[in-house]
Amino acid sequence: MASASIPRPQVLTERALSALERFSHIEAVSGIVLLLAAMIALIWANSPFADSYEHFWNTQLTLGLGDFSVSRSLHFLVNDGLMTIFFLVVGAEIRQEIRDGALANMRLATLPLGAALGGVLMPAIIYTLLNHGSEASAGWAVPTATDIAFAVGVLALLGKSIPSGVRILLLALAIIDDIVAILIIAVFYTVSLDYLGLLVVVGGLLLVLIFQRMGIGKAYAYVLPGAIVWFGLLKTGVHPTLAGVILGLMAPVNSKPAVERPLDTIGRTFHELMERFSQTGDNPQAVAKPLKQLRHAEREVLPPVQRIQVGLHPWVAYGVMPLFALANAGVSLGGANLDEAVSQSVFVGIILALVLGKPLGVILASLALVKLNICTLPDGVTWKGVVLVGLLAGIGFTMSIFIAALAFSDPALLSSAKLSVLAASTIAAMIGLIWGKVKF
């Protein structure tokens, strides 16, 4: 029975939560939150409280049962644990695009695929030419990545003057870029393999497939097999966050088979619910079954691959990624020690590769594909739009810092790499904004 009067605190709370929900779906906001987290980390790491930054993220968390215990740092929890959720969303996005998006067929995928590969190869070539034969050469893959959240967030700041085709091209390019980055991590930054771990991974994946065949659709049921895959990859020697990508790619693109379509079930159950309410009043036992059917059908309206994205995106955008930035962007300007030749090479190489190499690779690859009649520019996309996509692709941030942490064991080189990624991403974003304001 509806209440005749709703308490004012409840009304105000509902309005605030509704405004917060609308605010959270503005793409530019997630980029701003990510930037603020990076700035806080940078200020913290260079403040009088700099020691507390390192101490905090190196704090050990211990989980024990009897004589068995595992101890890991907060930094590990963020980079190897929470980032798995980020990669799960990325994997689901890739799966969705392969199904019915920009990667659904070669005709649609050719331009973003070629542009993305050009945007990976050119920065790697520029960096390698500058650092070949030195200790810094291990970071060749750092400038190959594009940060989806930051790039799309900056694009959103330009407003509705930017054609939708440009946004789609940038998204497709960034997704392919992530696929390449994931392959690079798996192939080039895996030192050795423990094949016993692979058996654990296979066991976890088989459990996922069994659950899917059984029609289990509730997300929490997959936490156990997901954890098994994660642990198996960790034991194997491959970065465990790749478990997220694998599970995202395995997400079904269709709702599970059923005798009745979810929308039909919702309609039928709603009428049944209304009848029972009219007959029995507020008796909870009488309406429990149709309410359960209604919740189940409501969940099945969206296929799992979309439920992953819708359900986890706010947590990733406003939780996981800001925490990652907070844990990794805290570069001590003194620790970078740019007086050393090797640190200078890393710093200059990454900045040139991201700011110059990324747009150059994207534009030249796109130009070659179009001039050779292999593909055409998408509807609504002009060459100035391709240039904008290339400029924004130079925003590396999340994935670039992630790869840097795998590439460099020397703290001084890692600090230089992180600092250069932050500087290059800022420069690329500013140039992209200026180009977008002037040309659109």
Side-chain angles (χ1 to χ4, degrees):
M1 182 176 177
S3 177
S5 62
I6 301 175
R8 183 159 179 77
Q10 180 181 334
V11 173
L12 294 175
T13 301
E14 289 176 353
R15 287 178 181 174
L17 291 174
S18 178
L20 184 62
E21 184 179 2
R22 290 195 302 271
F23 188 70
S24 68
H25 284 82
I26 301 173
E27 289 177 332
V29 175
S30 61
I32 292 170
V33 172
L34 194 60
L35 178 60
L36 288 174
M39 290 176 63
I40 291 170
L42 196 58
I43 293 169
W44 186 2
N46 290 279
S47 71
F49 308 101
D51 289 343
S52 68
Y53 179 84
E54 293 295 332
H55 179 74
F56 177 77
W57 292 111
N58 286 318
T59 300
Q60 296 291 309
L61 296 178
T62 302
L63 180 66
L65 183 64
D67 294 333
F68 175 79
S69 66
V70 177
S71 186
R72 297 288 183 178
S73 67
L74 277 176
H75 193 270
F76 174 89
L77 180 65
V78 172
N79 281 30
D80 296 61
L82 291 180
M83 282 299 284
T84 305
I85 303 174
F86 164 77
F87 281 107
L88 174 62
V89 175
V90 170
E93 288 177 349
I94 294 169
R95 183 73 181 96
Q96 182 71 23
E97 292 296 322
I98 291 172
R99 165 70 177 184
D100 54 11
L103 307 179
N105 57 63
M106 283 306 298
R107 185 181 64 83
L108 291 173
T110 299
L111 183 63
L113 180 61
L117 292 178
V120 168
L121 291 173
M122 187 62 74
I125 290 169
I126 289 175
Y127 184 90
T128 303
L129 288 175
L130 291 172
N131 294 284
H132 179 66
S134 72
E135 187 182 354
S137 62
W140 64 270
V142 174
T144 61
T146 296
D147 188 289
I148 296 177
F150 249 146
V152 174
V154 171
L155 187 67
L157 292 175
L158 292 170
K160 295 182 178 180
S161 61
I162 306 299
S164 61
V166 173
R167 181 183 178 279
I168 293 170
L169 178 60
L170 178 61
L171 273 174
L173 183 147
I175 287 170
I176 295 169
D177 208 308
D178 274 342
I179 297 173
V180 176
I182 289 162
L183 292 174
I184 288 172
I185 291 170
V187 175
F188 294 99
Y189 293 104
T190 299
V191 179
S192 60
L193 290 177
D194 181 343
Y195 293 100
L196 181 61
L198 288 178
L199 293 177
V200 176
V201 172
V202 171
L205 295 179
L206 286 175
L207 197 55
V208 170
L209 292 173
I210 291 170
F211 281 9
Q212 288 179 351
R213 293 293 293 176
M214 291 171 63
I216 298 175
K218 292 185 178 180
Y220 63 77
Y222 291 87
V223 171
L224 176 61
I228 292 172
V229 174
W230 184 91
F231 175 77
L233 287 174
L234 179 66
K235 183 173 178 58
T236 300
V238 178
H239 206 276
T241 52
L242 296 180
V245 180
I246 296 170
L247 294 172
L249 289 172
M250 291 179 69
V253 293
N254 296 311
S255 297
K256 67 179 183 181
V259 176
E260 190 176 38
R261 292 189 313 158
L263 288 176
D264 293 336
T265 303
I266 290 173
R268 177 182 57 77
T269 310
F270 177 76
H271 290 298
E272 182 182 343
L273 199 60
M274 294 301 292
E275 288 177 5
R276 293 200 181 188
F277 263 118
S278 63
Q279 294 171 1
T280 61
D282 289 337
N283 182 1
Q285 295 300 322
V287 298
K289 183 178 179 181
L291 279 175
K292 183 178 179 181
Q293 291 177 336
L294 196 60
R295 287 193 297 268
H296 178 79
E298 181 185 15
R299 186 188 71 217
E300 292 301 318
V301 169
L302 289 178
V305 72
Q306 291 182 15
R307 293 206 298 269
I308 289 172
Q309 296 174 62
V310 172
L312 293 180
H313 178 266
W315 295 99
V316 170
Y318 299 100
V320 175
M321 293 182 69
L323 276 173
F324 176 82
L326 199 59
N328 291 275
V331 183
S332 171
L333 299 180
N337 193 11
L338 296 179
D339 291 334
E340 292 186 2
V342 180
S343 295
Q344 285 180 10
S345 295
V346 170
F347 186 81
V348 173
I350 290 175
I351 287 183
L352 287 178
L354 279 173
V355 177
L356 180 63
K358 268 289 185 182
L360 200 59
V362 169
I363 295 166
L364 289 178
S366 301
L367 190 63
L369 289 171
V370 172
K371 292 299 182 183
L372 292 172
N373 291 320
I374 296 174
C375 64
T376 59
L377 293 181
D379 292 339
V381 178
T382 61
W383 285 110
K384 62 184 181 182
V386 174
V387 173
L388 178 60
V389 168
L391 291 171
L392 295 181
I395 302 174
F397 201 70
T398 308
M399 286 299 293
S400 291
I401 291 177
F402 193 84
I403 294 173
L406 300 176
F408 295 115
S409 56
D410 186 332
L413 294 185
L414 179 57
S415 293
S416 296
K418 288 182 177 181
L419 186 60
S420 61
V421 167
L422 293 173
S425 297
T426 303
I427 294 168
M430 294 303 296
I431 296 174
L433 281 172
I434 293 169
W435 177 269
K437 288 292 185 183
V438 171
K439 296 294 183 180
F440 290 91

